[in-house]
Amino acid sequence: MAAQQTGTIGYRVPGSAVSAVLLLLANLPKQIVNEGIQGQGFDGPGATQSFMSLDLPFGEALFGRPVTLFDGLSLDQADMLLALSLSFLTLVLVNGLFKFVINTRKGRMGERLLRRLRYELSDRILRFPLIHVRRVKPSEMATMIKDEVEPLGGFIGDAFATPLFLGGQALTALIFIMVQSIWLGMVAAAVVLFQAFLIPKLRKRILVLGRERQLTARMLAGRIGELIDGAVEVQANDTTNYERADLTSRLGRIFNIRYEIYQRKFFVKFLNNLLAQFTPFVFYLGGGLLAISGHLDIGALVAVIAAYKDLPSPIKELIDWDQQRLDVQIKYEQVIDQFQPPQMIDPKHQAADNDPGPPLAGQISASALTLNDENDIPLLRSISFTTEVTQHIAIVGSSGSGMEQLSLLLAGLVQPSSGHLWIAGKDIGELPAAVIGRRLSYVGQNAYHFAGSLRNNLLYGLKHRPVIEADAEHATSAADLAETRRAGNPLLDINADWIDYAAAGADDKEGMTERLLDVLAVVDLIDDAYRFGLTGTIDPEDKPEVAEGILKARAAMVERLATSGNDDLVVRFEAERYNMNASVAENLLFGTPQRADFVSDKLATNETLAQVLREADLTDAFVTMGVTIAKTMVEIFADLPPGHPFFEQFSFISDDELPEFRTIVTRVENSGVEALDKAARQLLRGLPFNYVEARHRLGLVDEAMAGRLVDARVRLAERLKKDCPDAVEFYVADAYNAAASLQDNILFGRLAYGQAKAEETIGTTLAEVLDDLGLRKTVIEVGLDYNVGIGGGRLSVAQRQKLAIGRALLKQPDILIVNEAASVLDRASLVRLIDNILAMRKGRGVIWTLQRPELASRFETILVMGEGRLVEQGSFQDLTRNGGTFKNLVAAE
């Protein structure tokens, strides 16, 4: 399948038809006035004239006499007025239809070109050299692609249609005026020429200012991106006010530029409007004098004025079009300059149909490798060595020794400034991405993870090209593919199956799951995936066997806890009883909310629940409970600093809300609850929903209150089943709760507060039950669907590094290159990880940069780096025996 297709994005403008319609429209008012109203050509009452008679063009020249094709309709004056008026209305509708078709098609063409341009720019980012990628600001690149090219798409349709359509419109009107009166036509032409000369001159400064505005706005976007990326440094160094001053300065610069643009733009508009209104003045005065003197009839004067009414608008729009053209040209040049770095990757290297070829075999040979930075400062100097592709190699050195740069060269992600690097007899600079990305696998220290599931991030390294076409139901439609082709985008279907199962050593999805679990075990993430799975959910309709197994685990858990005497560690949900270890909200809903307006934080404003509380006579009781909670919180937190752990522990009031509740408590103490307004009562009513009697122990839920809350639970369930059946998934003792996590489904209750080691005991028992039932693997598979967050933000740093290594291992590369990708692990975890990977990769190459030299004893060959040079090379035994740089590094460690 071709990765790049060219398409046609143009359209044809029916200019001659538009001009003909405009000429008829311009002439009809004259005919309506002269013939339909004044009766020219009608000799008297009852007289008729021919309407819509049609003669053969050039008939008299060809045949010596006029040749009539259609005699027309014979109409009296009234009928003629009606016919001419209806003709005028018809032509107005036809002209409007022309405009509709032209504007729609030019809009489509503009959007096609914008789509193509955005794709081309994004494609160039994918071909940026890695060194250049590290220098650009992501926010600026995104702003240029998203916002700065937007005017280009809007203009491209106008680039062709506007000069043709508006120019023809203006020329038609001008010719018509000159036909009626040469003097009035000359006045109109003179004003038009004056506008065309003066206005562009005045707008040159506006274009320069527009360029400055665009650059300053782009720099502002880049600076804001820096503030987000450097938020820790900004707050840690108390430079927030400095940054505010910088933002103020930048915004002030943008304000001054934009204000000057407004001043100049509206002065030009004022001048343009003045010139446009001056011409009608001349027409009324001069045309009136010509009409009085008999040189111009009234109908012609009316037609001239009507025609001129259509002249200033296209002229003004043509002048605007020329300014927009220059502005768009400047913007285009500014954007394109940012997307043309030196040493762009050849698109042929990234073609989707490139083949990785046979597995790499032979030697890795470096000859006088040198790498300079953008300032031509050497990072690596004349490095030469030869090793086998299948060897396990450790690169050792201190910080700044050149280890990272050498690993990037070996991974083919950076090209050497001079020298050569051959892998399996091939120059690495000539290898296509299919080889670099599949036969080699690089993992850096700050590997990125995309928003999505753990599974998708592991499989990301296997999505090189479509492997299995999408079925008819999910495939991209033929219409969308045709539009993709016209826009010049590649015909690659995102809905196809892109996963290269064979590269991972799997035959199908089930086999791939087994491979994923194997890799997770190697990188020591299997226990993390298990914990993720316990917090995950499944759809019992899609996986009925899993739901059935979880219900068996629920029963086994009850039996196991009872046998061990720990059945009091979990207080289970019972429909007729209030659970003191669950919150008031959980007890009222008695289920898992499935809609956002039924989560505990939103219940205070939930009208359905408010109505149930009124029916159960609990509204005032909730307000009273809220007052008690607020008073307690105000007393507890009165002398605590913001961010104190107590705020999180009690989870009723944040430190930001404390002043507001302090005011409410004071008002209650002075004037009673009755003095509170509706908003204050609502705030208080929302506090009890997060209250857990066994945890907070304020005595707010006694047996009587528990009974009233259970009664309200029944009322709420009846109302929800009737009005909002999808709002809450209710707890049922012998049923699986699709909205609850696996762990909640198994426990079907809440841990008892105050019990020693309750969480640890329950965790151990739960694991034993799942192992006995053979469900641990099922839970881990659910954990593969855990959302890792943007950039892997929901994972720890260690988990992110392990996940990146797992992704690299899954595609089974011929050479695995690990560049300090496990540096945050403690020594024991790192040793276990290295041993697991080296055992898994036996017979396949591994290159690992290490800051702990003593771990290099596990590798067959060691390359010792120092100040950008290869200072030593050999086995661990040889290097420690010789007493050189490597031995000193080991001793220092």
Side-chain angles (χ1 to χ4, degrees):
M1 182 179 291
Q4 177 67 38
Q5 299 285 339
T6 58
T8 301
I9 58 176
Y11 68 94
R12 293 173 293 179
V13 180
S16 58
V18 174
S19 298
V21 170
L22 290 176
L23 279 172
L24 291 173
L25 270 174
N27 192 57
L28 270 175
K30 174 184 175 181
Q31 289 184 271
I32 291 172
V33 172
N34 291 343
E35 299 176 19
I37 298 176
Q38 292 186 336
Q40 288 183 6
F42 292 94
D43 297 335
T48 62
Q49 285 193 46
S50 178
F51 175 71
M52 292 188 69
S53 62
L54 181 62
D55 294 336
L56 179 68
F58 308 108
E60 188 171 1
L62 294 173
F63 301 102
R65 61 181 177 81
V67 178
T68 302
L69 299 177
F70 177 60
D71 292 330
L73 303 175
S74 183
L75 303 176
D76 59 19
Q77 183 177 352
D79 291 338
M80 180 65 74
L81 175 62
L82 176 62
L84 291 173
S85 299
L86 289 176
S87 299
F88 180 82
L89 178 61
T90 301
L91 290 174
V92 168
L93 293 175
V94 171
N95 188 45
L97 181 61
F98 278 143
K99 290 182 179 180
F100 169 76
V101 172
I102 291 172
N103 287 327
T104 301
R105 291 188 177 181
K106 77 179 184 181
R108 182 178 63 182
M109 185 176 70
E111 287 304 313
R112 279 181 185 161
L113 182 126
L114 181 61
R115 174 178 175 176
R116 176 181 292 187
L117 181 59
R118 281 177 168 160
Y119 168 78
E120 292 290 347
L121 296 179
S122 302
D123 178 71
R124 281 177 168 267
I125 290 178
L126 295 175
R127 295 192 288 117
F128 278 180
L130 190 60
I131 292 179
H132 182 75
V133 171
R134 294 181 173 183
R135 292 204 304 265
V136 301
K137 295 180 180 178
S139 55
E140 289 189 9
M141 294 286 107
T143 298
M144 282 187 277
I145 294 176
K146 184 177 78 72
D147 296 328
E148 293 189 20
V149 300
E150 184 84 24
L152 276 64
F155 173 77
I156 195 62
D158 292 331
F160 302 102
T162 297
L164 292 175
F165 181 72
L166 295 178
Q169 197 175 22
L171 187 60
T172 302
L174 192 60
I175 291 174
F176 179 80
I177 293 172
M178 286 190 170
V179 169
Q180 305 304 316
S181 173
I182 187 64
W183 301 109
L184 296 181
M186 291 177 64
V187 171
V191 173
V192 168
L193 291 175
F194 184 69
Q195 282 180 290
F197 173 77
L198 179 63
I199 301 303
K201 294 281 187 182
L202 296 176
R203 284 178 166 170
K204 281 188 176 180
R205 176 59 183 166
I206 297 177
L207 294 176
V208 174
L209 291 171
R211 183 188 310 163
E212 292 182 17
R213 178 202 61 77
Q214 186 174 4
L215 291 174
T216 52
R218 186 189 302 167
M219 288 188 289
L220 175 65
R223 186 58 178 168
I224 291 174
E226 284 184 327
L227 292 180
I228 295 173
D229 294 337
V232 173
E233 283 69 22
V234 171
Q235 296 190 26
N237 293 285
D238 189 25
T239 57
T240 54
N241 290 312
Y242 173 79
E243 297 300 342
R244 290 186 180 100
D246 181 58
L247 290 173
T248 300
S249 175
R250 293 173 185 269
L251 293 172
R253 173 64 178 156
I254 294 175
F255 170 81
N256 291 332
I257 293 173
R258 292 179 69 91
Y259 182 60
E260 186 175 350
I261 290 175
Y262 285 135
Q263 287 179 306
R264 293 178 177 273
K265 183 172 69 174
F266 287 108
F267 172 74
V268 171
K269 187 174 183 180
F270 161 75
L271 185 60
N272 215 13
N273 291 336
L274 179 63
L275 292 173
Q277 297 303 319
F278 172 75
T279 308
F281 161 76
V282 175
F283 280 8
Y284 282 121
L285 179 60
L289 292 174
L290 290 173
I292 292 172
S293 63
H295 291 85
L296 186 68
D297 61 64
I298 298 297
L301 178 60
V302 173
V304 166
I305 294 174
Y308 180 77
K309 186 174 63 175
D310 295 329
L311 182 60
S313 178
I315 294 297
K316 176 180 178 298
E317 291 183 36
L318 276 173
I319 295 173
D320 291 341
W321 172 87
D322 187 61
Q323 180 196 0
Q324 189 180 6
R325 178 186 64 82
L326 294 173
D327 189 32
V328 165
Q329 181 178 344
I330 291 171
K331 290 179 179 178
Y332 175 78
E333 291 171 354
Q334 287 179 335
V335 170
I336 292 302
D337 284 345
Q338 302 299 316
F339 288 84
Q340 299 187 101
Q343 297 181 340
M344 283 274 288
I345 298 174
D346 190 331
K348 294 180 180 178
H349 282 201
Q350 296 181 346
D353 54 0
N354 284 345
D355 191 275
L360 300 177
Q363 293 182 329
I364 302 174
S365 178
S367 174
L369 277 183
T370 299
L371 179 65
N372 300 334
D373 64 10
E374 59 272 19
N375 298 317
D376 283 335
I377 298 175
L379 302 176
L380 296 176
R381 296 179 176 89
S382 190
I383 294 177
S384 300
F385 64 87
T386 300
T387 64
E388 296 296 321
V389 166
T390 57
Q391 278 190 308
H392 294 174
I393 303 167
I395 303 177
V396 178
S398 58
S399 178
S401 62
M403 291 192 302
E404 178 184 3
Q405 288 74 23
L406 180 56
S407 66
L408 288 171
L409 282 173
L410 292 171
L413 298 177
V414 173
Q415 298 303 313
S417 302
S418 63
H420 296 279
L421 176 62
W422 292 277
I423 294 183
K426 300 175 182 178
D427 191 325
I428 197 169
E430 298 177 359
L431 294 177
V435 177
I436 298 297
R438 303 179 209 180
R439 296 301 179 195
L440 307 178
S441 193
Y442 173 85
V443 190
Q445 184 176 5
N446 299 312
Y448 187 84
H449 299 293
F450 298 91
S453 68
L454 192 69
R455 182 195 306 272
N456 286 340
N457 274 281
L458 284 168
L459 295 174
Y460 186 76
L462 298 172
K463 299 179 180 181
H464 313 298
R465 60 185 175 188
V467 177
I468 303 173
E469 296 295 331
D471 55 40
E473 181 181 355
H474 299 97
T476 303
S477 67
D480 287 342
L481 285 176
E483 186 60 41
T484 298
R485 185 182 294 106
R486 293 189 189 101
N489 288 180
L491 298 178
L492 298 173
D493 189 357
I494 190 62
N495 298 314
D497 190 346
W498 287 68
I499 301 172
D500 189 349
Y501 295 95
D507 297 325
D508 49 26
K509 292 184 178 180
E510 289 72 18
M512 180 61 74
T513 299
E514 295 295 333
R515 288 286 297 123
L516 291 174
L517 299 183
D518 292 343
V519 167
L520 288 177
V522 170
V523 299
D524 205 16
L525 267 179
I526 199 77
D527 291 338
D528 299 276
Y530 167 75
R531 288 191 291 272
F532 296 154
L534 289 177
T535 63
T537 61
I538 63 164
D539 186 344
E541 294 184 1
D542 292 339
K543 300 179 179 180
E545 70 287 350
V546 177
E548 183 180 352
I550 295 300
L551 291 178
K552 291 180 180 179
R554 180 187 297 176
M557 190 75 180
V558 173
E559 182 180 351
R560 182 70 61 94
L561 289 176
T563 302
S564 62
N566 292 318
D567 54 339
D568 60 336
L569 296 183
V570 178
V571 181
R572 307 193 182 282
F573 295 126
E574 298 181 33
E576 298 79 17
R577 295 184 60 186
Y578 186 93
N579 191 323
M580 293 293 182
N581 288 272
S583 68
V584 171
E586 290 175 308
N587 275 284
L588 280 172
L589 297 180
F590 199 68
T592 308
Q594 298 185 102
R595 280 183 12 189
D597 54 335
F598 279 88
V599 298
S600 59
D601 293 340
K602 302 292 184 180
L603 290 180
T605 57
N606 187 295
E607 186 55 36
T608 302
L609 185 58
Q611 190 171 350
V612 169
L613 293 180
R614 286 194 295 269
E615 293 174 358
D617 195 24
L618 282 171
T619 303
D620 292 339
F622 265 61
V623 174
T624 303
M625 293 168 66
V627 170
T628 302
I629 293 172
K631 287 182 177 178
T632 305
M633 296 302 103
V634 168
E635 291 175 3
I636 292 176
F637 301 144
D639 300 320
L640 294 181
H644 194 279
F646 274 9
F647 284 103
E648 181 178 354
Q649 178 181 348
F650 284 92
S651 67
F652 292 112
I653 302 173
S654 67
D655 50 0
D656 295 333
E657 298 172 324
L658 191 59
E660 184 175 5
F661 278 101
R662 184 179 289 113
T663 302
I664 293 175
V665 168
T666 302
R667 194 182 310 163
V668 170
E669 291 175 346
N670 293 334
S671 306
V673 176
E674 297 76 12
L676 297 177
D677 56 20
K678 182 179 179 180
R681 292 175 65 86
Q682 182 172 291
L683 282 173
L684 292 173
R685 193 170 67 244
L687 291 180
F689 289 115
N690 290 322
Y691 177 78
V692 180
E693 181 61 46
R695 177 184 180 185
H696 301 119
R697 300 183 182 278
L698 299 180
L700 299 180
V701 181
D702 53 17
E703 290 188 10
M705 177 56 71
R708 295 174 67 188
L709 290 172
V710 171
D711 176 64
R713 172 198 298 172
V714 175
R715 292 173 182 266
L716 179 61
E718 292 174 353
R719 183 175 295 277
L720 291 179
K721 289 176 182 178
K722 178 182 177 182
D723 300 334
C724 311
D726 62 336
V728 177
E729 179 84 9
F730 296 106
Y731 295 133
V732 179
D734 57 350
Y736 184 88
N737 189 311
S741 67
L742 298 186
Q743 179 169 291
D744 284 348
N745 269 286
I746 296 173
L747 295 181
F748 198 67
R750 290 290 176 261
L751 293 182
Y753 285 100
Q755 298 285 347
K757 297 185 178 181
E759 188 171 350
E760 180 181 344
T761 302
I762 292 299
T764 302
T765 306
L766 179 60
E768 293 172 355
V769 168
L770 292 174
D771 287 338
D772 291 346
L773 295 175
L775 290 173
R776 186 180 182 89
K777 177 183 174 183
T778 300
V779 174
I780 295 173
E781 290 179 12
V782 174
L784 289 173
D785 296 323
Y786 177 78
N787 192 320
V788 301
I790 298 175
R794 298 183 66 192
L795 303 177
S796 68
V797 178
Q799 288 171 337
R800 290 199 292 270
Q801 292 189 341
K802 292 177 181 179
L803 178 58
I805 296 174
R807 178 167 61 202
L809 287 172
L810 185 63
K811 60 183 180 181
Q812 302 187 114
D814 296 328
I815 303 175
L816 172 67
I817 302 165
V818 184
N819 181 18
E820 299 185 63
S823 57
V824 301
L825 300 182
D826 60 78
R827 189 182 186 285
S829 299
L830 182 57
V831 168
R832 185 166 60 251
L833 178 65
I834 292 175
D835 289 344
N836 289 345
I837 291 176
L838 295 182
M840 180 186 188
R841 298 279 305 170
K842 190 173 183 179
R844 291 194 175 190
V846 176
I847 301 174
W848 202 308
T849 63
L850 295 170
Q851 285 191 344
R852 292 189 172 104
E854 80 280 2
L855 299 181
S857 61
R858 292 163 169 77
F859 294 83
E860 299 166 355
T861 300
I862 301 172
L863 304 178
V864 184
M865 298 293 296
E867 297 181 353
R869 298 181 183 276
L870 179 61
V871 294
E872 287 181 339
Q873 176 183 357
S875 67
F876 185 85
Q877 293 77 10
D878 291 341
L879 293 177
T880 51
R881 184 170 53 249
N882 293 339
T885 302
F886 179 74
K887 186 174 182 180
N888 294 334
L889 289 173
V890 173
E893 183 69 19

